[in-house]
Structure formats: C-alpha cells, structure tokens
Amino acid sequence: MTFAPPVQHHVFPNGLTAIAIENPAADIVAARIFIKAGSLWEARSKAGLANLVAAVMTKGTERLSSMEIAERVESIGASLGTDASTDYFLVSLKSVSHDFVDLLSLAGELLRSPAFPESEVELERSLMLQGIRSQREQPFSLGFDQLRQVLYGPEHPYAFSPLGTETTTGQLTPADLQAFHQTYFQPDRVTIAVSGCLSTQEALKAIEAVFGDWQVSDQVIVEPQFPPLPNTIEQRAIAQETQQAIVMLGYGAASVLGTDSTATEQQHHPDYAALKLASTYLGNGLSSRLFVELREKRGLAYEVSALYPTRLGPSHFVVYMGTAPQNVPEAITGLQSEVERLIHHPIEAAELTAAKNKLLGQYALGKQTNAQLAQLYGWYEVLGLGREFDRTFQTAIAQVSAQDIQTVADRYFAAPHMVLTGPAAAVEPALLVTP
C-alpha cells in the first residue's frame, strides 16, 4: 500500500498559499517557493530578466553580503538556490529539521529584500551572455530555439528562450531587476510547499513567522496574454557544420489547464492525459516506439525522443532525432510516419498498458523524497491545478483509451512545423523535397 503523507493547505491573510506535507521518514525538510514571476511576465524588450533576477538574488540583501549568505547556508550543510522558468520563479531549500526555520528565514530575506549589487549584476549578466553564445553552438539548442519561434510566432511569450538574447540581456540594469522584483514579488503571488520531518502545524507556524507580515503592494500587475498560434506551417533549415544533423518536428498542443469551453478553471485539459501517454509511448526510453523502430531496427538515430512539456499556456509536442547528415530525408519520413501512425492505427492494448505502467511508475518514483514532494505539490498549486491533481492525474492516465490517443493525434498531429540543423548540403535540400 502506498504511503500518503498528511498534507495541509492554507492561505494566509496576505494571500500567500502554503502547503505543508508531513513526512518523518528522514530528519530532512525541503521547501519549494514558487512565485508567479517567470519569463512570461517579462517585456519582450527585457527578455532574460527573470533569469538574471534568479542569478543575482542570492548575491546580497539589504543586510547580508553574498559571502555571508553562502557561509550561512554552507555552515549547516544546507542547500539554497534560485531558478526562473517560463511559468514561474523558484526558490529551493533543504536542511536537517533543526536548521530549517533559520534557513527559511534566510530565504525570506532573499525574497523580500534583495540588493541586486551592480557588480554582481554585471558578473551574472556576462555569464548569461556566454550561455546564450554557447547555445548557438549546440545543434539541439539552436534548432529548438527556432522551433519555438515557428510554433508560437513573433509575439507569443513562449517563442523566446528564457535566457533572452544578446541584445536584451546585454541591456539589463540593476534598476530593471529592482522594478521586476517590486512588481511581481508579492505574497499573494507566492506558493510555499514544505515537506519533511515537521508536523503540518509546525511548518505553517514557521511560514507565518517569516512571511506573515509581508504586505501586498499597490503595484499594478498586467497578467500575460497568449496570442493565437500561427495557422501556417513553417519549415526552417539552419546550416551548421557539425558531425550530425538534428531533425525536429513540432506540433501545437494543449495547455495543462482547460483554457477553452471544454473545461473550467481548476481542471486539467481533457486532452492532457492522452497527450502525455502519446509522448511516453513514442519517445520515453529504450522501449519507446521511436527508439525501437528508428534506432534499433533501422539504425537511423544517434538519439531520438519525444517531449510534451506541461505549460500554463499552449504547449507543444515535439519529436526529434540526431542522425548522420546523409540520413536526413529518411529521418524526416521516419519521424513523421511514426507520429501519423497514431492517427490511422489505434495503439494495441498491450502497448497502451505498457505505456501507462511506464508513465505511472515513473510518476511514483518522482515522489520519493521531500524535495520531490514539495516540488510536485507546489508546482500543481502555482499552475492552478491544486493539490488534488496528484490523484486526478493518475486516474486520468488510467482511463485513457486507444481511441482517446487516436482522437488527440488526429486533432494535433496533422501537419508538423519542421526545423533541421546540420551541414548545409544535408539540411537545405531536404526542405525542398519534403511535402
């Protein structure tokens, strides 16, 4: 029988949401602090801002220097870090239970009063610019950047790398970081999930002690808008003299949320579970359809996979392959035919069962540690799904039928966008002969 730790949900008077998970299996407490302040909320002219805020937030507060912060964390063997994704900003922390309240207090100071020292901003901005340049040398990163652009179009916030561009990131200033922080870092935009060797009441008491007096400001917040996706199919070839070529096919796909008339707020999109299973079946692991058919049987692929990320807004379904340049036309045909096969041929019962077992097994293994529990429950909350999604997701996966997968395949996989990266002689002619 699976152990289900006690979980308590609480909203404080200032709007901050807390989730406390009691799990005394080890003397460890982990927390994840989610803020609605990811790259979705950046102006396009300041792309990369959320990531720079994350990089500099641990480098000083109004009271503590970067070195003092590092010493406080390392002296107790704890961990504390920040990150920014598209849909949220994240602070991660972990310590033994005895030190957790002090560590949470330090995290609260970082969140509420970061200093953004100019020297640290310059250093981290320089490192981000190096990362942007490095990505241009990596065939997968280069191809995926282009695929995002053709999938979403020029005005969509998902069309851009969270790192920004050399132009936008290079122009960011400490004042930009301060303005972003003052606008979006508000208690009613924060979800804190704590999991570990604390009672739920002790965890909530600790959160209240650190964040209970944090007041919402009068800043006007403009929530991001998702413009319509392009209705034309686009293909691009990016010449890069590498030893292998990357073939990517991309399809627009459903948000995790029900964003149209098919579902209401706090429900997942009715196509979400079937798309997750289709991704698992096609491209998850050594037993996946793409791996077996295109790598093992036909020897086309150095690597091959599928992905369908969970997104607040419209997501994407991508299949990709790394292959020898001379195999590009055959790789395109192979990938497209395997995806389109889902439209025309129902998955066999044994294949569907295997995909469900794989997905649900991996999901269960992703809830073994306090850090994983805090991440999962906090993530669901900040996405608007609520803590009950842990149960409803598993139920939805179990109920997906072969017909459900065929239906979503027909709905989303009719015509792919395509991006090819590799030697010009291999990728440019391939576009000309592809239907």
Side-chain angles (χ1 to χ4, degrees), residues 397-430:
I397 291 296
Q399 292 176 347
V400 171
S401 67
Q403 180 60 56
D404 292 332
I405 294 180
Q406 195 169 9
T407 298
V408 298
D410 185 57
R411 182 172 295 146
Y412 296 102
F413 300 159
H417 298 276
M418 182 168 67
V419 172
L420 310 175
T421 308
V427 298
E428 291 175 356

Side-chain angles (χ1 to χ4, degrees), residues 100-119:
F100 177 73
V101 173
D102 289 339
L103 186 64
L104 184 66
S105 179
L106 177 60
E109 185 170 345
L110 296 177
L111 274 175
R112 296 176 63 175
S113 58
F116 301 124
E118 185 171 359
S119 60

Side-chain angles (χ1 to χ4, degrees), residues 188-201:
D188 58 347
R189 301 177 64 81
V190 174
T191 295
I192 302 178
V194 176
S195 177
C197 193
L198 285 179
S199 71
T200 57
Q201 289 306 310

Side-chain angles (χ1 to χ4, degrees), residues 280-283 287-294 338 341 351:
T280 298
Y281 167 74
L282 281 174
S287 62
S288 66
R289 175 79 187 187
L290 294 179
F291 191 93
V292 171
E293 294 297 321
L294 302 181
E338 290 299 336
R341 178 177 173 272
E351 295 176 316

Side-chain angles (χ1 to χ4, degrees), residues 355-365 393-395 397-398:
K356 289 181 179 181
N357 289 341
K358 181 191 294 185
L359 180 54
L360 291 174
Q362 291 173 343
Y363 183 78
L365 290 173
F393 170 69
Q394 296 176 77
T395 300
I397 291 296

